Amino acid sequence: MGPDGKKLLNIIILGFGFMFMFTAFQTCGNIEQTVIKSFNSTEFHGSGYTSMAIIYGVFSASNLIAPSVVTVIGPQVSMFLSGILYSAYIAMFIQPFTWSFYTASVLVGIAAAVLWTAQGNVLAINSSDSTIGRNSGIFWSLLQFSLFFGNLYIYCAWHGHERITDKDRRTVFISLTVISLVGCFLFFLIRKPEPESSSRSEVTESLLQDESLNGSTDSSSQPSLCSQALDAFVKAGKISVTREMLLLSVSIGYTGLELTFYSGVYGTCIGAMTRFGSDAKSLIGISGICIGVGEILGGGVFGLLNKNNRFGRNPVVLLGLITHFVAFFLIFLNIASDAPLAPEGGTDLKAFITPSVGVALLCSFLLGLGDSCFNTQLLSIIGFTFRDDSAPAFAVFKFIQSIMAAVAFFYSNYLLLHWQLLILVIAGFMGSVSFFAADWVAESRKRDSDYDSI
């Protein structure tokens, strides 16, 4: 197998590892608020929204140190250890306690920062300028298969159940924990790509790649671990104030807000709609499957075909914005405004039309499709613009995204649905405009670089 083939195989293994891990974790996040409402114990007083707010709040703060951690212990070990903490969070639901619930939330927040920084590094060092779009699409599609498989399992396990029993909960979360652990061990199959002497970025990335995937070399010829960690932290700070990252920050922030909405709030809304019938709880799983189908389709079409896209990234982001606006409008018409805050018994209110399961599932698909449009293009532009410093750049990306997700999970405890949708509409418009500007700056610099090389 040639060097390009090995790099592609690494991307596929990376995608499968994340697919297994997030089959467990995203399914957990999608159902945990519903599960918590059905607990038969008065000793537990946690909130799924609060837990997610803690996770993403700690996630955002931990991104300040994540590049240093990845530099010191390497992306492979970083992803494995982070995956173990993800698995522990899921396993906590087998026998939940309030203290363990929130403690695990803090630990997962730390793990998430390290995991996604390492993922961005592995993606970048196994890609070139011509393959970063394709590889982003492959990774994103494989990752989003997690929504399909996890939620299909939830639908089959809970179909016809009006109430989630303790036995139902334990069976589901034991299975999800095992699935997550499988993903952790897949990361050890990733191999070091062969360096190309003509590639300047490969040399720059060697600090992370050589020590992480192939063990440490002669310490006398390498900077100390402390200096490496400090250098990664300083690079992240410098990248965060570049013109490109400042422009992209608005678009990244929007993906954090809509991540909260489709991964937590919308499923809760569907489960609370008693007008959908007694099977509303199992519809959470079908909704997640529809989101996954949209994510996979978007990742495949706009990622794998990126190389042949002569119009660039902006039309894809514009399509994502239009798709989301259509979804938000239909959700506004179809779902009761108090659905995010409804008690276990659900809500009997209706919005502006007779509640339709078909419309609700169509909106799920559109949310997934629009999200894939934004995220594949953000992965592509960040990997392209900051390829020489991929780990710090992706840490900044996740810092911004996670802090906005934490904000969204916090206000989801208090705001009615129509106010949440209004915030998403405003943020989506501003994020798209800022992305267009950032892409123009990136392409201008590329043209200037090409001219200089003549």
Side-chain angles (χ1 to χ4, degrees):
M1 184 181 294
D4 291 341
K6 290 181 180 179
K7 290 181 179 180
L8 179 59
L9 181 60
N10 283 342
I11 296 298
I12 293 173
I13 293 172
L14 180 70
F16 272 105
F18 272 71
M19 183 189 74
F20 276 96
M21 275 186 56
F22 283 87
T23 291
F25 185 75
Q26 290 196 118
T27 303
C28 174
N30 198 26
I31 65 174
E32 69 176 48
Q33 183 68 7
T34 301
V35 168
I36 288 171
K37 288 180 180 179
S38 66
F39 278 159
N40 294 323
S41 171
T42 58
E43 297 178 0
F44 187 89
H45 304 288
S47 164
Y49 291 153
T50 302
S51 169
M52 286 296 176
I54 292 172
I55 288 174
Y56 284 101
V58 175
F59 184 1
S60 62
S62 298
N63 276 294
L64 299 174
I65 61 170
S68 302
V69 174
V70 175
T71 298
V72 172
I73 67 175
Q76 251 185 341
V77 177
S78 297
M79 292 188 294
F80 173 75
L81 294 179
S82 298
I84 294 297
L85 292 178
Y86 270 78
S87 302
Y89 177 84
I90 298 166
M92 183 277 310
F93 283 93
I94 299 171
Q95 186 60 51
F97 299 96
T98 305
W99 67 268
S100 61
F101 180 47
Y102 289 129
T103 300
S105 300
V106 172
L107 294 176
V108 167
I110 298 170
V114 175
L115 177 75
W116 284 101
T117 299
Q119 175 271 331
N121 177 236
V122 173
L123 177 65
I125 62 183
N126 285 280
S127 304
S128 63
D129 290 346
S130 62
T131 62
I132 184 66
R134 179 202 67 184
N135 290 348
S136 297
I138 291 173
F139 171 77
W140 192 257
S141 295
L142 288 172
L143 169 64
Q144 298 309 327
F145 267 106
S146 63
L147 286 168
F148 179 84
F149 293 122
N151 287 288
L152 179 61
Y153 171 61
I154 291 300
Y155 175 75
C156 294
W158 290 358
H159 182 66
H161 291 211
E162 294 186 18
R163 182 178 178 84
I164 310 305
T165 65
D166 288 344
K167 181 180 178 181
D168 293 334
R169 185 190 74 245
R170 292 191 183 102
T171 301
V172 164
F173 283 100
I174 289 173
S175 301
L176 294 180
T177 301
V178 173
I179 292 170
S180 179
L181 289 171
V182 170
C184 296
F185 286 96
L186 283 178
F187 295 135
F188 287 117
L189 298 179
I190 297 174
R191 291 292 175 260
K192 175 188 174 183
E194 295 179 10
E196 299 175 15
S197 58
S198 60
S199 176
R200 172 176 58 88
S201 57
E202 288 287 341
V203 175
T204 306
E205 289 291 347
S206 64
L207 172 65
L208 290 173
Q209 176 63 18
D210 291 344
E211 296 199 340
S212 59
L213 296 181
N214 207 34
S216 59
T217 58
D218 182 8
S219 60
S220 62
S221 61
Q222 297 291 334
S224 67
L225 294 180
C226 290
S227 64
Q228 293 176 29
L230 179 61
D231 181 61
F233 179 80
V234 171
K235 283 181 179 179
K238 291 180 178 179
I239 288 172
S240 67
V241 295
T242 59
R243 179 166 56 166
E244 292 92 335
M245 188 58 76
L246 289 174
L247 288 170
L248 288 172
S249 63
V250 184
S251 183
I252 295 170
Y254 169 65
T255 64
L257 296 178
E258 55 99 5
L259 166 67
T260 294
F261 186 76
Y262 82 75
S263 67
V265 176
Y266 189 56
T268 301
C269 290
I270 290 179
M273 291 293 291
T274 57
R275 290 176 179 266
F276 287 159
S278 61
D279 221 22
K281 293 288 188 297
S282 64
L283 286 177
I284 299 174
I286 295 296
S287 172
I289 292 172
C290 292
I291 292 172
V293 170
E295 295 275 14
I296 295 164
L297 178 63
V301 173
F302 304 120
L304 298 179
L305 301 182
N306 181 274
K307 191 174 181 179
N308 299 321
N309 181 10
R310 68 179 64 180
F311 300 106
R313 304 179 183 91
N314 287 347
V316 180
V317 171
L318 180 60
L319 176 63
L321 179 68
I322 295 171
T323 302
H324 272 173
F325 277 11
V326 171
F328 297 154
F329 179 68
L330 292 177
I331 291 170
F332 175 73
L333 295 179
N334 192 50
I335 303 294
S337 62
D338 68 335
L341 310 178
E344 181 188 355
T347 176
D348 292 325
L349 299 179
K350 75 173 186 177
F352 296 92
I353 62 173
T354 301
S356 167
V357 172
V359 172
L361 298 181
L362 172 63
C363 292
S364 299
F365 170 78
L366 294 176
L367 288 173
L369 180 62
D371 181 69
S372 69
C373 291
F374 277 95
N375 276 284
T376 55
Q377 302 315 301
L378 282 169
L379 287 172
S380 177
I381 194 173
I382 292 173
F384 168 77
T385 305
F386 303 104
R387 189 164 179 265
D388 291 351
D389 297 301
S390 60
F394 280 101
V396 174
F397 168 42
K398 284 298 176 179
F399 171 79
I400 299 168
Q401 187 182 64
S402 56
I403 199 169
M404 294 308 297
V407 170
F409 273 113
F410 176 76
Y411 69 59
S412 296
N413 278 306
Y414 307 102
L415 294 184
L416 295 174
L417 180 62
H418 58 272
W419 292 116
Q420 296 191 39
L421 292 173
L422 178 61
I423 292 172
L424 288 169
V425 168
I426 295 172
F429 176 78
M430 295 175 62
S432 299
V433 172
S434 70
F435 184 94
F436 300 154
D439 191 52
W440 180 83
V441 171
E443 291 299 326
S444 296
R445 288 199 174 184
K446 180 183 177 182
R447 288 192 294 268
D448 292 342
S449 177
D450 291 342
Y451 292 145
D452 292 341
S453 64
I454 297 175

